[in-house]
Amino acid sequence: METIESQARSLATLGHPGRLGVFRLLARRAPGAVRPGEMAEALALKPNTLSVYLSALAEAGLVTSERRGKAIYYRVDMARAGALIDFLAADCCRGRPALCAPRTAAALAPEETDPMSDRRLNVLFICTGNSARSIFAESILRAEAGDRFVAHSAGTRPYSELNPFAVEMLEAKGHDVSALRAKNVSEFQGAEAPLLDFVFTVCDQAANEECPAWEGQPVTAHWGMPDPVKATGTDAEKRLAFQQAYGALRNRIRAFAALPLETLDRVARQSAVDRIAAAGNEETTA
């Protein structure tokens, strides 16, 4: 059982803007793990500064590390982070999260009526350029379960045009590409945007970026995978990279579309999409 002293140490550790920034990045990438080099680049930190921050977070029990070959990867200790939130809600707030953290309380409260039972659900896939992976995901979900979902995609810094290899791949798979276009994520923010039920990042760079909280508190997950746009070599080798990205996304989306969402509460939905993310990580690193 966590003591007040250990909880205070965790809060003090997160009280530093730099350490909090590292923690938030790792939380956005959860349940996956991230290399220090990628964190340093995303947060514009010197390697030695990042090392100090990671050491402090690890000492506080907020992050864990694992070795993969010669590289070390870090991830948020979700159980420890959850215990800290529980401590704040149950102890500091005296069991009144609706007063201390109304948004969190509303998101976790049991639903009297299931809002996912009688309408098509809005799903947004986000990448940086919105030219390949997120476009694949939008098209696949529409084809696999368009009667249950409204599929969208966007980019944090979208290209002006879709990648020609991506368009070629979709056409070869029988998808209608006539309505596809690169879109900025800002189209899905604000009063006129559709209320989103699920938001998935499908590239690491987009997940590393800061993003405002989504209206309606949709279930979110990170389904990152290698960028086929960066593939080099012959056209045949590039097409293979796009084929692999398409296949990996199709596997995840089929698993997602098969979920009995109408019978799951919010916590169970989040756990389900995180399991899909973890299985996808194993698939892409195998």
Side-chain angles (χ1 to χ4, degrees):
M1 182 177 178
E2 299 289 345
T3 64
I4 291 180
E5 288 75 15
S6 65
Q7 302 288 15
R9 185 166 58 251
S10 295
L11 289 171
T13 301
L14 293 176
H16 184 281
R19 294 191 292 263
L20 180 61
V22 174
F23 179 84
R24 293 181 68 210
L25 185 150
L26 289 173
R28 292 194 296 272
R29 293 285 296 274
V34 187
R35 293 179 296 105
E38 185 179 350
M39 285 187 274
E41 181 179 358
L43 298 171
L45 292 173
K46 295 180 180 179
N48 59 335
T49 301
L50 175 64
S51 178
V52 171
Y53 291 166
L54 287 170
S55 295
L57 289 166
E59 184 176 352
L62 292 166
V63 305
T64 61
S65 62
E66 60 187 69
R67 181 173 291 278
R68 300 179 186 175
K70 296 182 178 180
I72 297 177
Y73 287 71
Y74 289 83
R75 72 175 77 238
V76 166
D77 186 327
M78 298 304 292
R80 180 71 184 84
L84 181 59
I85 294 171
D86 285 344
F87 167 74
L88 290 172
D91 190 290
C92 297
C93 293
R94 295 301 183 193
R96 298 184 295 172
L99 296 179
C100 283
R103 293 183 61 186
T104 300
L108 298 179
E111 297 164 347
E112 295 181 3
T113 59
D114 193 336
M116 295 191 175
S117 62
D118 56 0
R119 63 181 176 84
R120 294 170 72 198
L121 308 178
N122 284 301
V123 182
L124 175 63
F125 298 97
I126 300 175
C127 201
T128 305
N130 193 211
S131 70
R133 287 166 290 181
S134 52
I135 289 290
F136 279 173
E138 175 187 354
S139 300
I140 294 167
L141 181 60
R142 186 174 294 125
E144 292 287 337
D147 58 330
R148 296 178 60 206
F149 302 97
V150 181
H152 309 276
S153 70
T156 57
R157 294 188 296 278
Y159 295 115
S160 58
E161 297 181 356
L162 304 185
N163 184 279
F165 285 101
V167 174
E168 177 187 278
M169 177 67 63
L170 289 172
E171 290 177 330
K173 298 293 185 181
H175 295 280
D176 179 6
V177 300
S178 61
L180 295 177
R181 64 182 178 89
K183 302 171 290 298
N184 194 289
V185 70
S186 62
E187 291 190 24
F188 298 90
Q189 298 166 332
E192 301 302 318
L195 186 64
L196 299 170
D197 298 286
F198 294 90
V199 176
F200 300 112
T201 48
V202 293
C203 72
D204 293 344
Q205 188 173 349
N208 290 345
E209 296 177 9
E210 292 282 354
C211 182
W214 294 98
E215 291 295 328
Q217 299 174 319
V219 173
T220 63
H222 176 54
W223 290 356
M225 62 181 54
D227 186 0
V229 174
K230 294 182 179 179
T232 59
T234 65
D235 282 356
E237 291 171 325
K238 293 178 181 177
R239 288 188 177 94
L240 177 60
F242 280 86
Q243 175 68 55
Q244 291 171 335
Y246 179 94
L249 278 166
R250 182 179 56 189
N251 290 342
R252 298 182 195 190
I253 290 169
R254 284 180 170 175
F256 170 67
L259 293 173
L261 296 173
E262 298 81 0
T263 67
L264 303 178
D265 62 22
R266 180 185 175 85
V267 174
R269 291 169 193 150
Q270 184 66 64
S271 297
V273 298
D274 284 345
R275 286 195 298 271
I276 293 173
N281 290 340
E282 293 178 1
E283 176 184 320
T284 55
T285 58

